[in-house]
Every structure is written in C-alpha cells, then in structure tokens.
C-alpha cells in the first residue's frame, strides 16, 4: 500500500469515523484481509446449469420481497406494499419490487377494451385507445414516485424497530416512458380558462384527482412503459398518468379520463384525504410537491454489523422541487457532518445515490443523512418536520432518518 492511498484512507471528514468521500475502500481497511483458502470445486463448475427461460427471475439466494404488504381491515384490496430499499442499490427499482398502493385492488384490464377520454373545456373531445397512444412520440425519464404517506411510521411517538424499506419504502425509482401530455392537450385545444385537469382511473375505487394545468404541461406524461417493459398491472397497465415530483396519488393508475375545467373537482381524494391539517386547524389542499428527503439504506434498521472496520454508508436522496445539490452524512447524531459523494446521474425529480466511507471501531453511533436540493431546500430534523402539521397528520413527512449502531453492531431506528 503506498503512502498516498494510506493517507487518503485515514483522511477524516467529520466526527466518529466518517472518512473523506473519495477515500478508497480496501480489504485491509475493511477488516476482511487475511489468508484465503482455495474453495473446494463447486457443483456448478462440474455439471451444466439450468436452461434459459422466457422471463427471468432473481437468484434463489437473493432474498428479494416487498415488505409491509398490508391490506385494509375492511377491504384487503385497499392496501400497500413497500420497496425493500435495504436490499437494492443504484437508483432503479425493479418492476417486481416497485411499491404498490391501491384503493380497490389491481384491475385486470384488457387494453383492447380500455380508452382514455379527454373532454371538458376543450375545443375537440378526444378518445384514445392503447394502440393509438403507442403511435405518439414518447419520452423516457428517470423519476421517483413517492406516496404522500411514506415514512408515516416515523411520526409515531415510539420509534419502530423496522427495516429501511418497511419504514420508508413507499418510494421507488424507475425509467418511465410515455406520451408527454402537452401533445394530447394541444390536439384537443384547451379553452382559455381551463386551469385544472381532473384525472380519473378505471379501477373500482373511483380515484379522481385535480391537477393544476402547469404541472400537466411541464413534464407530465401518459406512461405506458416502466423500466423498458409495458407497465405492470399493479402500476396501472395499460396506462397511467405520471406527474413528476408530486405525491403518488395524483399519478392516477389505469387512467381512463382527463377533464379540463376552470376549478378543481374537490373530489373525495382531495377533501376527506390528501389534505394536510395545519397547527391552526386549517387544512392545506393540493400540497402536491414532495419535499426534499433522503434515507441511508446501508447500514440500516435491523441489520447487524459483524466486524469492525470500514463500511460504505450508502443511501438515496430526492426532491420534488429540483435535482439534489448535496447530501451530508453524520455518524454522531448530527453533531458534525461530511459531504457524501453523489454517485449517480443527478436529474430533477429522480432518485440520487450517495455514498461515503465510515470507519466503525465498535463505538455506539447514530447515522443520519440530510439532503439539500438545487433550490436550497434542506431536509429538516424529525422535530422540525413534525412541527409543520397538527398532531395525527402524517402526510408529507420528510424528517431526517436516524439509525443507531450499538456496540454489538445492531442497527436500529431511533429518534434523537
Ligand atoms: N386509479 C388509481 N390510481 C392510483 C391509486 C389508486 O388506488 N387508484 N393509488 C394512488 C396512490 S395513493 C399512490 S401512492 C400511487 C401508487 O403507485 P404504485 O402502486 O404504482 O406505486 O398510485 C396512485 N394512483
Ligand atoms: Mo399514496
């Protein structure tokens, strides 16, 4: 090992073992070095493996499953499941692990029998079949999708000892491909006062949301493909609305109608739900944009550190307002912070991966990440985040996630 890299490895960036973000991780520093034995000849070297398949599946040794697959006590089809953030890396969620949130289950829609109607304050009402939409020019973008209820368990008075995915996994990242909405709106010709578009889904929940026109013209699409393949039924097959940076529930799945009008619809989903009760007793409506947020996915809740040495702290950051500017990481519960490496392309309204090396000598530690977006929004502490809304209101919670590492290596959700 040269002196140069040796210096680099031991360059501390903040308290309690955070190393400079570009420090190299080497087996010697990881505490993993030592003599190794040649492995015995494995079975898979001596006999041919399984044949090819028509649709792939993960290794049986990789434990990949959605978490918190919870139904509603009065209607099991109304429920959600979370992405296991701690089992994944990078910024793309595989389609089989994209989080799910349905108000009335997953309809099984035959695309030949499904239509999207565009009507209301327009010069010409239009009806699109799945086939006809496939003929339009499309765009592909990487975006996050986050439920406004994501991380609500961290608003509970007692910290829940759960995984990163169980606590914060109502978020996923994908490459979405579809028809930019402005093509369809231009074709129909909006009337002058048509400031809102009311989107409705074809499922049994009657899910209806009002979206301000500027959001529909700026980046919204009728999404047809997700990570390269046709949408999964759970994600809205054959077509869904996708509004980047906004709470998941306005990205209406199984999209069947778009109605242009002067005012919002004040539908059930925007009166009885999806409003935020403020401290003064008033309710904030149409708080659509998702706030700046991040979460460390490794090490994270319920994991066990089984050696001392250098670890890579890694996680995801995102903001509905812009791209991510900086992610800071603390290993001492917020006393000191070091800047992490943003280690993915960093697009607006997309997941950004951050990484930073950390030397664990067995000391009790509290790991945190704090995201700052290009507009200067800073992710708040839990205390500050909870002050925004009245008690019991749990949408749009974006407080800093704290993971406690105890001297025995157990990692646990804590409030600091
Ligand atoms: N038609 C319809 N659209 C819907 C919903 C629904 O129940 N019905 N759920 C919404 C909610 S609350 C969220 S968070 C997202 C979830 O999208 P996903 O299941 O693809 O992750 O879809 C939204 N769109
Ligand atoms: Mo949601």
């Amino acid at each position: 090992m040269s002196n140069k890299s040796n210096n680099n490895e031991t360059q501390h960036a903040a308290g309690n073992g955070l190393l400079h973000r570009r420090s190299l991780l080497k087996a010697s520093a990881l505490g993993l070095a030592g003599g190794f034995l040649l492995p015995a000849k494995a079975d898979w070297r001596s006999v041919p493996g399984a044949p090819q398949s028509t649709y792939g599946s993960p290794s049986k040794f990789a434990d990949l499953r959605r978490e918190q697959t919870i139904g509603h006590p009065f209607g099991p089809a109304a429920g959600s499941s979370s992405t296991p953030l701690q089992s994944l890396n990078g910024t793309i969620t595989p389609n089989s692990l994209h989080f799910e949130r349905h108000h009335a289950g997953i309809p099984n829609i035959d695309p030949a029998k499904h239509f999207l109607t565009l009507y209301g304050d327009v010069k010409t009402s239009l009806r699109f079949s799945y086939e006809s939409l496939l003929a339009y020019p499309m765009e592909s973008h990487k975006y996050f999708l986050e439920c406004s209820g994501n991380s609500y368990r961290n608003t509970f008075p007692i910290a829940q000892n759960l995984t990163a995915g169980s606590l914060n996994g109502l978020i996923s990242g994908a490459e979405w491909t579809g028809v930019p909405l402005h093509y369809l709106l231009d074709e129909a010709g909006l009337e002058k006062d048509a400031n809102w578009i009311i989107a409705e889904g074809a499922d049994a929940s009657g899910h209806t949301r009002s979206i301000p026109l500027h959001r529909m013209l700026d980046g919204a699409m009728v999404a047809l493909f997700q990570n390269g393949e046709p949408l999964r039924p759970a994600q809205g097959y054959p077509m869904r609305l996708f509004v980047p940076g906004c709470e998941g529930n306005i990205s209406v799945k199984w999209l069947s109608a778009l109605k242009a009008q002067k005012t919002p619809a004040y539908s059930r989903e925007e009166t009885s739900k999806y409003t935020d009760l403020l401290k003064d007793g008033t309710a904030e409506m149409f708080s659509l944009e998702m706030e700046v947020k991040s979460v460390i996915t490794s090490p994270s809740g319920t994991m066990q550190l089984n050696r001392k040495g250098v670890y890579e702290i890694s996680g995801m950051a995102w903001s509905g307002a812009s791209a991510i500017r900086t992610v800071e990481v603390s290993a001492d519960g917020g006393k000191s912070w070091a800047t992490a490496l943003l280690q993915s392309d960093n697009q607006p309204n997309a997941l950004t991966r951050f990484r930073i090396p950390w030397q664990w000598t067995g000391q009790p530690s509290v790991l945190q990440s704090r995201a700052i977006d290009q507009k200067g929004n800073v992710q708040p502490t839990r205390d500050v985040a909870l002050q925004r809304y009245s008690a019991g209101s749990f949408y749009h919670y974006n407080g800093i996630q704290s993971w406690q590492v105890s001297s025995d290596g157990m990692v646990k959700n804590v409030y600091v």
Side-chain angles (χ1 to χ4, degrees), residues 227-364:
N227 293 329
E229 65 176 5
L231 297 185
R232 295 286 174 92
Q235 269 62 57
Y237 183 80
M239 59 186 72
R240 86 179 298 165
L241 182 62
F242 197 97
V243 190
C246 289
E247 58 185 37
N249 63 74
I250 71 169
S251 285
V252 175
K253 301 190 276 192
W254 315 294
L255 183 67
S256 60
L258 293 168
K259 183 183 181 199
Q261 59 183 53
K262 203 170 169 178
T263 56
Y266 300 108
S267 68
R268 183 192 54 190
E269 282 71 34
E270 46 211 28
T271 50
S272 80
K273 293 193 273 189
Y274 303 121
T275 66
D276 309 311
L277 192 56
L278 302 178
K279 291 270 183 197
D280 66 4
T282 59
E284 195 174 37
M285 299 186 80
F286 306 111
S287 51
L288 304 181
E289 197 164 281
M290 295 309 289
E291 288 77 6
V292 65
K293 193 164 167 181
S294 66
V295 58
I296 293 172
T297 54
S298 181
S300 63
T302 78
M303 286 183 184
Q304 165 83 55
L305 306 190
N306 53 18
R307 57 171 175 84
K308 291 170 188 159
V310 177
Y311 284 83
E312 183 180 72
I313 294 176
S314 163
M316 306 172 337
W318 63 96
S319 167
S322 63
I324 291 297
R325 180 192 288 165
T326 316
V327 180
E328 297 169 329
V329 172
S330 175
D332 53 17
K335 287 200 215 51
S336 65
W337 297 88
T339 305
L341 187 69
L342 299 188
Q343 220 276 302
S344 61
D345 56 345
N346 185 8
Q347 300 292 325
N349 309 143
L351 295 181
T352 297
R353 177 61 54 177
F354 64 87
R355 305 179 192 279
I356 190 166
W358 173 56
Q359 180 131 41
W360 187 57
T361 57
Q363 72 278 24

Side-chain angles (χ1 to χ4, degrees), residues 98-104 145-148 176 201-203 205 207 234-235 240 248-254 274:
H98 196 282
F99 86 93
E100 306 164 287
R101 172 76 183 101
H102 327 295
H103 293 87
L145 184 71
E146 185 180 22
C147 177
S148 56
W176 297 94
D203 56 328
S205 73
H207 191 81
Q235 269 62 57
R240 86 179 298 165
N249 63 74
I250 71 169
S251 285
V252 175
K253 301 190 276 192
W254 315 294
Y274 303 121

Side-chain angles (χ1 to χ4, degrees), residues 64-66 82-84 88 93-99 172 232:
L64 295 172
R65 59 181 92 191
R66 292 185 180 115
S82 300
T83 296
L88 304 175
T93 310
N95 291 343
S96 298
L97 296 174
H98 196 282
F99 86 93
S172 304
R232 295 286 174 92

